[in-house]
Amino acid sequence: MKILFISYFFDPYPGVGAKRVSYWADEILNYGIEPTVITAIEQKGNKPYPVHYVPNTKRKRKFSLFIKDEGYSWELDLVDFFEKNNLSNFDYILISGGPFMHMGISTYLKKIFKGTKVILDFRDPFGINPRYKESFLKSFIKKYFDRNFCKNADDIITVNKFCKDLIQTDQNIQVIENGFDERAIKIYLEQNVHDDFLICHAGSLYDDRDPRLFLNLLKENSSLIKFEQYGNDTSFFDNYRKYSFFSYKGRYPYQELIGHLNKADACVLFTLGKAFESTTKVFDYIALNKRILIVTEGEPKTGNLHEITKVYPNVVWAQNNEITIKKAIETLVNMEVKPFDNSRFSRKYSLGQLVKLLTES
């Protein structure tokens, strides 16, 4: 069996958008399935399978003024690539987004690869995304494209049931969650040797996820609690850089990041509180069996983050206000960490679900 992955993001791109398909392509060989990859990310080094670098030339199209999704222009580059290269037939073509607009190439692909089935992989919702405040016209157009993309797909997959409900189609959608990369996880049995209680956050923070109330409370307990930020920097941190409790560590490759997070006593997530929201970092925190604090702008213990963590014994929720965060930090510090079987949350498990879809459909 042969599968072609088309994903704008792929290794060595360091962002989370590359992780899902990069893992699948690397490991699906172990199931006797031959992968090929097409990506907009320039390649360094060699993979044990074909990876075709197709750069986005950012050509203008009819609606380029209104459609900013990078896949819109990249679709033209993909068509050029297929017309210039005589690729052998595939059993499946999996197109991952976002960006999403290159999903429109599925009709063309089914014409040139006879009998090939197309799978669309929505890592986020597209037609309706509650995170964005969009005009009626923009929302209408996105939903139109969403429906048309799905109409031309043989199978549709997404990362959680809440995202599933937002995709504009009546077709069956299978949920295949993200997870932690078990190849990089190393659980250390020794106890932490630092005297302070260390809380880490990994990833990006946006305007709708404000950590400053949380950081203010840590500043008040700076003699006992320290905080480390890994990933993107933000102006949210500007008022705390001069204090000893705060440390911005920058971005690290995944395996190095896991090593740093393993030293933490607890890890924190900030969420807008929308039902579909998820983050791959919650899987990494669970993989390391860390105490987890989830600070939400919405209702605690709701949405996909609750679906993921409700079976995990070492999690505390707090609304983003001073009283509940303060109480949650106290609970976190005094919590006895309980063991947990995390295998259900690995990328190996999610790949098994994909392979099952490929072999049984």
Side-chain angles (χ1 to χ4, degrees):
M1 182 183 293
K2 294 182 178 181
I3 184 169
L4 171 64
F5 293 103
I6 301 177
S7 179
Y8 193 95
F9 297 111
F10 192 76
D11 284 344
Y13 181 76
V16 67
K19 302 305 180 188
R20 183 172 169 96
V21 172
S22 297
Y23 179 94
W24 286 351
D26 283 351
E27 297 298 317
I28 205 167
L29 283 164
N30 296 325
Y31 296 84
I33 300 173
E34 300 177 33
T36 299
V37 175
I38 298 176
T39 178
I41 302 302
E42 186 173 4
Q43 295 300 289
K44 300 176 181 177
N46 296 312
K47 294 278 192 179
Y49 50 85
V51 181
H52 302 283
Y53 167 48
V54 179
N56 184 356
T57 59
K58 302 186 184 297
R59 281 177 284 175
K60 300 298 182 183
R61 299 182 68 178
K62 185 176 181 180
F63 299 110
S64 292
L65 185 63
F66 308 101
I67 300 176
K68 304 303 180 184
D69 186 288
E70 293 168 306
Y72 189 52
S73 57
W74 193 47
E75 183 181 355
L76 298 179
D77 301 307
L78 291 174
V79 171
D80 287 349
F81 172 81
F82 285 113
E83 289 182 348
K84 295 174 183 177
N85 294 271
N86 185 24
L87 271 63
S88 59
N89 206 31
F90 298 95
D91 298 286
Y92 287 93
I93 298 174
L94 187 149
I95 308 173
S96 189
F100 298 93
M101 289 298 294
H102 58 285
M103 286 182 173
I105 201 173
S106 58
T107 304
Y108 169 81
L109 293 177
K110 295 186 83 169
K111 289 179 180 178
I112 64 172
F113 295 111
K114 301 297 184 182
T116 295
K117 292 184 177 181
V118 171
I119 302 172
L120 299 185
D121 173 37
F122 288 83
R123 300 193 311 272
D124 285 298
F126 175 58
I128 301 175
N129 191 324
R131 180 176 289 133
Y132 306 127
K133 296 179 180 179
E134 296 175 330
S135 67
F136 172 81
L137 178 59
K138 185 173 183 179
S139 178
F140 178 83
I141 292 172
K142 287 178 67 177
K143 286 189 282 188
Y144 168 80
F145 280 113
D146 210 2
R147 285 190 293 270
N148 276 274
F149 294 160
C150 294
K151 183 174 63 178
N152 295 315
D154 295 282
D155 292 289
I156 304 167
I157 59 178
T158 191
V159 293
N160 62 62
K161 68 179 185 180
F162 302 98
C163 185
K164 172 182 175 180
D165 292 339
L166 295 172
I167 297 173
Q168 301 295 288
T169 183
D170 294 326
Q171 291 174 245
N172 181 55
I173 302 173
Q174 181 165 327
V175 172
I176 299 181
E177 290 184 339
N178 286 313
F180 65 87
D181 189 339
E182 71 285 346
R183 301 171 303 180
I185 298 295
K186 294 181 180 179
I187 306 300
Y188 298 97
L189 299 179
E190 65 267 21
Q191 297 295 314
N192 293 315
V193 295
H194 49 81
D195 295 327
D196 303 304
F197 191 89
L198 176 62
I199 301 177
C200 290
H201 176 264
S204 301
L205 289 167
Y206 302 100
D207 291 342
D208 54 13
R209 282 169 274 181
D210 190 337
R212 286 175 292 187
L213 279 176
F214 170 76
L215 293 173
N216 285 339
L217 289 168
L218 295 192
K219 185 175 67 173
E220 293 176 8
N221 294 277
S222 60
S223 62
L224 300 174
I225 301 176
K226 305 300 181 187
F227 176 82
E228 292 181 352
Q229 162 67 18
Y230 293 88
N232 291 351
D233 203 352
T234 170
S235 60
F236 282 139
F237 302 140
D238 288 349
N239 293 331
Y240 308 98
R241 301 180 197 278
K242 63 183 179 181
Y243 295 102
S244 61
F245 84 94
F246 177 88
S247 180
Y248 172 69
K249 297 295 187 179
R251 301 185 70 170
Y252 285 86
Y254 182 78
Q255 190 154 355
E256 289 184 44
L257 172 63
I258 292 301
H260 288 291
L261 294 180
N262 189 68
K263 296 182 296 183
D265 296 286
C267 296
V268 61
L269 291 171
F270 298 92
T271 176
L272 181 59
K274 299 297 184 181
F276 76 93
E277 281 186 293
S278 186
T279 169
T280 58
K281 290 298 175 285
V282 71
F283 298 110
D284 296 330
Y285 296 170
I286 290 173
L288 295 169
N289 205 42
K290 295 301 176 184
R291 284 169 273 203
I292 301 174
L293 170 60
I294 302 176
V295 179
T296 178
E297 301 291 341
E299 185 68 25
K301 297 184 179 180
T302 59
N304 190 59
L305 276 174
H306 179 54
E307 287 297 309
I308 294 170
T309 59
K310 65 183 180 182
V311 296
Y312 184 63
N314 307 310
V315 62
V316 180
W317 284 77
Q319 280 192 311
N320 198 12
N321 63 67
E322 185 173 334
I323 293 175
T324 56
I325 293 176
K326 184 175 182 179
K327 183 178 180 180
I329 291 174
E330 291 175 356
T331 302
L332 205 68
V333 171
N334 294 301
M335 175 184 288
E336 180 183 350
V337 179
K338 297 177 181 178
F340 181 73
D341 179 5
N342 58 34
S343 57
R344 160 69 178 75
F345 297 101
S346 67
R347 290 201 185 273
K348 182 177 182 179
Y349 181 88
S350 69
L351 176 57
Q353 291 179 295
L354 175 62
V355 170
K356 184 178 180 181
L357 172 64
L358 300 178
T359 55
E360 294 184 358
S361 63

